[in-house]
Amino acid sequence: AQSVTQLDSHVSVSEGTPVLLRCNYSSSYSPSLFWYVQHPNKGLQLLLKYTSAATLVKGINGFEAEFKKSETSFHLTKPSAHMSDAAEYFCVVSDLTGGGNKLTFGTGTQLKVEL
Amino acid sequence: DAGVTQSPTHLIKTRGQHVTLRCSPISGHKSVSWYQQVLGQGPQFIFQYYEKEERGRGNFPDRFSARQFPNYSSELNVNALLLGDSALYLCASSPLPGQGEEKLFFGSGTQLSVL
């Protein structure tokens, strides 16, 4: 079964400093991995996705993630945090067994951005 | 274009009651998935439907059921509500299931409180 582990439940950064949200995955085959963001009272929004085309994936709002098979990691980064980045971030793996498309979410990382 | 719409946005029920949640996918999307998000956790997969047929089911009891209509909208039904069913229920739509690379588009959810 596919799974993801988000290593930090809360991350706090100052505006303008880099962001690093960590995620490790477990998969019996080459996984499809995603990062989603959830702002309060809003639906989940896809930030980026990895599907084996390139190990460095660029997403929306300046976020990117690097797939490292040797480390089974898919960490999310951004060079400079903005106040609007404060939200809950989920690392997600796609499970295609059974003919459907089931997403397995991590437990989430709450990002706080301070002035 | 309208996104994924869910109704109602909030709902309060008592233990033992039944609830029906509704979801309209993005126009042209034929697959609908349901997720449960308990406070402080990541969403968990409940069901996926495509062309009115169940394509996947998560680890939820038989009290949870769903169906998809000819217009691709969907209902999630929960019988004999328990306090632990209190959660945000998210609906997501996609054009096709099982391809792994397509994005899921999420609605804002229905917040269910069971008293």
Side-chain angles (χ1 to χ4, degrees), chain A residues 32 34 36 38 43-44 46 49 51 90 94 96 98-103 105-107, chain B residues 35 37 40-43 45 48 55 88 90 98-104 106-108:
Chain A
S32 292
F34 309 79
Y36 277 83
Q38 188 175 37
L44 289 156
L46 179 69
K49 60 180 180 179
T51 53
F90 293 97
S94 175
L96 300 180
N101 183 16
K102 164 189 169 183
L103 296 184
F105 286 75
T107 51
Chain B
Y35 287 78
Q37 186 177 17
Q41 298 181 19
F45 174 75
Q48 182 185 27
R55 284 298 191 97
L88 180 67
L90 295 164
Q99 293 183 343
E101 297 191 14
E102 88 281 15
K103 298 184 294 186
L104 286 183
F106 283 85
S108 298

Side-chain angles (χ1 to χ4, degrees), chain A residues 8-13 18-22 109-113:
Chain A
D8 307 290
S9 60
H10 293 82
V11 170
S12 183
V13 300
V19 175
L20 170 64
L21 305 183
R22 300 182 296 165
T109 297
Q110 185 71 46
L111 176 64
K112 183 178 179 181
V113 182

